[in-house]
Short mmCIF file of all heavy atoms in Angstrom, two decimals:
data_model
loop_
_atom_site.label_atom_id
_atom_site.label_comp_id
_atom_site.label_asym_id
_atom_site.label_seq_id
_atom_site.Cartn_x
_atom_site.Cartn_y
_atom_site.Cartn_z
N LEU A 269 -1.60 -18.48 3.92
CA LEU A 269 -0.50 -18.93 4.83
C LEU A 269 -1.01 -19.44 6.21
O LEU A 269 -0.22 -20.05 7.10
CB LEU A 269 0.42 -17.83 5.05
CG LEU A 269 1.23 -17.35 3.92
CD1 LEU A 269 2.20 -16.16 4.23
CD2 LEU A 269 2.20 -18.54 3.33
N GLY A 270 -2.34 -19.21 6.43
CA GLY A 270 -2.88 -19.63 7.69
C GLY A 270 -3.00 -18.54 8.77
O GLY A 270 -3.00 -18.75 9.94
N VAL A 271 -2.98 -17.29 8.27
CA VAL A 271 -3.13 -16.09 9.24
C VAL A 271 -4.43 -15.41 8.78
O VAL A 271 -4.79 -15.38 7.62
CB VAL A 271 -1.98 -15.18 9.19
CG1 VAL A 271 -0.72 -15.80 9.74
CG2 VAL A 271 -1.66 -14.60 7.69
N ASP A 272 -5.01 -14.66 9.65
CA ASP A 272 -6.00 -13.73 9.47
C ASP A 272 -5.46 -12.48 8.85
O ASP A 272 -4.29 -12.18 9.04
CB ASP A 272 -6.89 -13.48 10.71
CG ASP A 272 -7.58 -14.67 11.23
OD1 ASP A 272 -8.03 -15.51 10.53
OD2 ASP A 272 -7.77 -14.72 12.48
N VAL A 273 -6.38 -11.76 8.15
CA VAL A 273 -5.92 -10.43 7.65
C VAL A 273 -6.97 -9.42 8.04
O VAL A 273 -8.04 -9.75 8.34
CB VAL A 273 -5.83 -10.44 6.12
CG1 VAL A 273 -4.59 -11.39 5.59
CG2 VAL A 273 -7.13 -10.94 5.41
N ALA A 274 -6.42 -8.20 8.05
CA ALA A 274 -7.34 -7.02 8.52
C ALA A 274 -6.84 -5.82 7.83
O ALA A 274 -5.72 -5.59 7.59
CB ALA A 274 -7.34 -6.87 10.05
N ILE A 275 -7.82 -4.87 7.58
CA ILE A 275 -7.46 -3.57 6.98
C ILE A 275 -7.53 -2.66 8.19
O ILE A 275 -8.63 -2.41 8.75
CB ILE A 275 -8.50 -3.21 5.81
CG1 ILE A 275 -8.34 -4.16 4.73
CG2 ILE A 275 -8.37 -1.81 5.45
CD1 ILE A 275 -9.50 -4.24 3.70
N THR A 276 -6.42 -1.95 8.45
CA THR A 276 -6.25 -1.47 9.85
C THR A 276 -6.28 0.02 9.98
O THR A 276 -6.58 0.51 11.11
CB THR A 276 -5.00 -1.98 10.59
OG1 THR A 276 -3.88 -1.63 9.63
CG2 THR A 276 -5.02 -3.49 10.71
N GLU A 277 -5.98 0.75 8.84
CA GLU A 277 -5.99 2.17 9.10
C GLU A 277 -6.47 2.89 7.67
O GLU A 277 -5.85 3.88 7.25
CB GLU A 277 -4.47 2.63 9.36
CG GLU A 277 -3.85 1.92 10.56
CD GLU A 277 -2.45 2.46 10.86
OE1 GLU A 277 -2.04 3.52 10.33
OE2 GLU A 277 -1.74 1.71 11.56
N LEU A 278 -7.56 2.42 7.26
CA LEU A 278 -8.00 2.83 5.87
C LEU A 278 -8.30 4.24 5.81
O LEU A 278 -9.04 4.81 6.68
CB LEU A 278 -9.27 2.05 5.50
CG LEU A 278 -9.88 2.28 4.28
CD1 LEU A 278 -9.01 2.01 3.02
CD2 LEU A 278 -11.17 1.45 4.04
N ASP A 279 -7.76 5.01 4.84
CA ASP A 279 -8.23 6.22 4.36
C ASP A 279 -7.89 6.42 2.90
O ASP A 279 -6.79 5.78 2.49
CB ASP A 279 -7.71 7.41 5.25
CG ASP A 279 -6.24 7.49 5.49
OD1 ASP A 279 -5.48 6.97 4.66
OD2 ASP A 279 -5.88 7.96 6.52
N ILE A 280 -8.61 7.13 2.17
CA ILE A 280 -8.46 7.18 0.61
C ILE A 280 -8.53 8.55 0.25
O ILE A 280 -9.58 9.29 0.44
CB ILE A 280 -9.59 6.27 -0.13
CG1 ILE A 280 -9.39 4.84 0.38
CG2 ILE A 280 -9.43 6.45 -1.55
CD1 ILE A 280 -10.63 3.95 -0.07
N GLN A 281 -7.42 9.07 -0.27
CA GLN A 281 -7.42 10.44 -0.80
C GLN A 281 -8.57 10.73 -1.72
O GLN A 281 -8.71 10.05 -2.76
CB GLN A 281 -6.15 10.66 -1.46
CG GLN A 281 -5.88 12.12 -2.10
CD GLN A 281 -4.51 12.35 -2.71
OE1 GLN A 281 -3.64 11.44 -2.53
NE2 GLN A 281 -4.36 13.42 -3.31
N GLY A 282 -9.22 11.84 -1.28
CA GLY A 282 -10.54 12.22 -2.01
C GLY A 282 -11.80 11.47 -1.83
O GLY A 282 -12.76 11.69 -2.27
N ALA A 283 -11.61 10.34 -1.07
CA ALA A 283 -12.70 9.47 -0.60
C ALA A 283 -13.60 9.06 -1.88
O ALA A 283 -14.80 9.24 -1.80
CB ALA A 283 -13.59 10.30 0.44
N SER A 284 -12.93 8.39 -2.84
CA SER A 284 -13.67 7.82 -3.97
C SER A 284 -14.70 6.80 -3.49
O SER A 284 -14.25 5.92 -2.82
CB SER A 284 -12.73 7.23 -4.91
OG SER A 284 -13.34 6.37 -5.82
N PRO A 285 -15.97 6.93 -3.78
CA PRO A 285 -17.00 5.91 -3.50
C PRO A 285 -16.56 4.65 -4.18
O PRO A 285 -16.82 3.52 -3.45
CB PRO A 285 -18.26 6.50 -4.04
CG PRO A 285 -18.07 7.93 -4.03
CD PRO A 285 -16.61 8.18 -4.44
N THR A 286 -16.08 4.65 -5.31
CA THR A 286 -15.75 3.36 -5.90
C THR A 286 -14.55 2.65 -5.25
O THR A 286 -14.72 1.31 -5.00
CB THR A 286 -15.28 3.59 -7.46
OG1 THR A 286 -16.38 4.36 -8.08
CG2 THR A 286 -14.93 2.37 -8.13
N THR A 287 -13.58 3.26 -4.93
CA THR A 287 -12.37 2.78 -4.34
C THR A 287 -12.77 2.18 -2.87
O THR A 287 -12.39 1.21 -2.46
CB THR A 287 -11.21 3.78 -4.22
OG1 THR A 287 -10.89 4.21 -5.55
CG2 THR A 287 -10.02 3.00 -3.71
N TYR A 288 -13.55 2.97 -2.07
CA TYR A 288 -14.01 2.53 -0.88
C TYR A 288 -14.77 1.25 -0.99
O TYR A 288 -14.62 0.23 -0.19
CB TYR A 288 -14.76 3.59 -0.10
CG TYR A 288 -14.00 4.40 0.88
CD1 TYR A 288 -13.67 5.63 0.70
CD2 TYR A 288 -13.69 3.80 2.09
CE1 TYR A 288 -12.92 6.44 1.71
CE2 TYR A 288 -12.96 4.54 3.02
CZ TYR A 288 -12.55 5.80 2.82
OH TYR A 288 -11.80 6.48 3.80
N ALA A 289 -15.63 1.20 -2.01
CA ALA A 289 -16.42 -0.10 -2.20
C ALA A 289 -15.55 -1.20 -2.56
O ALA A 289 -15.76 -2.32 -2.16
CB ALA A 289 -17.55 0.18 -3.18
N ASN A 290 -14.60 -0.86 -3.38
CA ASN A 290 -13.68 -2.00 -3.83
C ASN A 290 -12.94 -2.54 -2.62
O ASN A 290 -12.69 -3.82 -2.50
CB ASN A 290 -12.66 -1.50 -4.81
CG ASN A 290 -13.33 -1.25 -6.21
OD1 ASN A 290 -14.32 -1.82 -6.51
ND2 ASN A 290 -12.67 -0.39 -7.02
N VAL A 291 -12.43 -1.70 -1.79
CA VAL A 291 -11.75 -2.11 -0.52
C VAL A 291 -12.67 -3.08 0.34
O VAL A 291 -12.24 -4.16 0.73
CB VAL A 291 -11.18 -1.03 0.28
CG1 VAL A 291 -10.61 -1.52 1.57
CG2 VAL A 291 -10.13 -0.28 -0.55
N VAL A 292 -13.83 -2.62 0.57
CA VAL A 292 -14.78 -3.45 1.35
C VAL A 292 -15.10 -4.71 0.61
O VAL A 292 -15.01 -5.81 1.27
CB VAL A 292 -16.19 -2.64 1.45
CG1 VAL A 292 -17.10 -3.59 2.09
CG2 VAL A 292 -15.91 -1.39 2.40
N ASN A 293 -15.18 -4.78 -0.68
CA ASN A 293 -15.52 -6.03 -1.33
C ASN A 293 -14.29 -6.95 -1.33
O ASN A 293 -14.43 -8.15 -1.42
CB ASN A 293 -16.04 -5.76 -2.74
CG ASN A 293 -17.49 -5.22 -2.82
OD1 ASN A 293 -18.24 -5.57 -2.01
ND2 ASN A 293 -17.77 -4.28 -3.56
#
Side-chain angles (χ1 to χ4, degrees):
L269 294 176
V271 293
D272 293 327
V273 293
I275 295 164
T276 55
E277 302 181 21
L278 177 63
D279 48 32
I280 299 172
Q281 181 176 347
S284 161
T286 301
T287 305
Y288 260 109
N290 286 339
V291 172
V292 171
N293 285 324

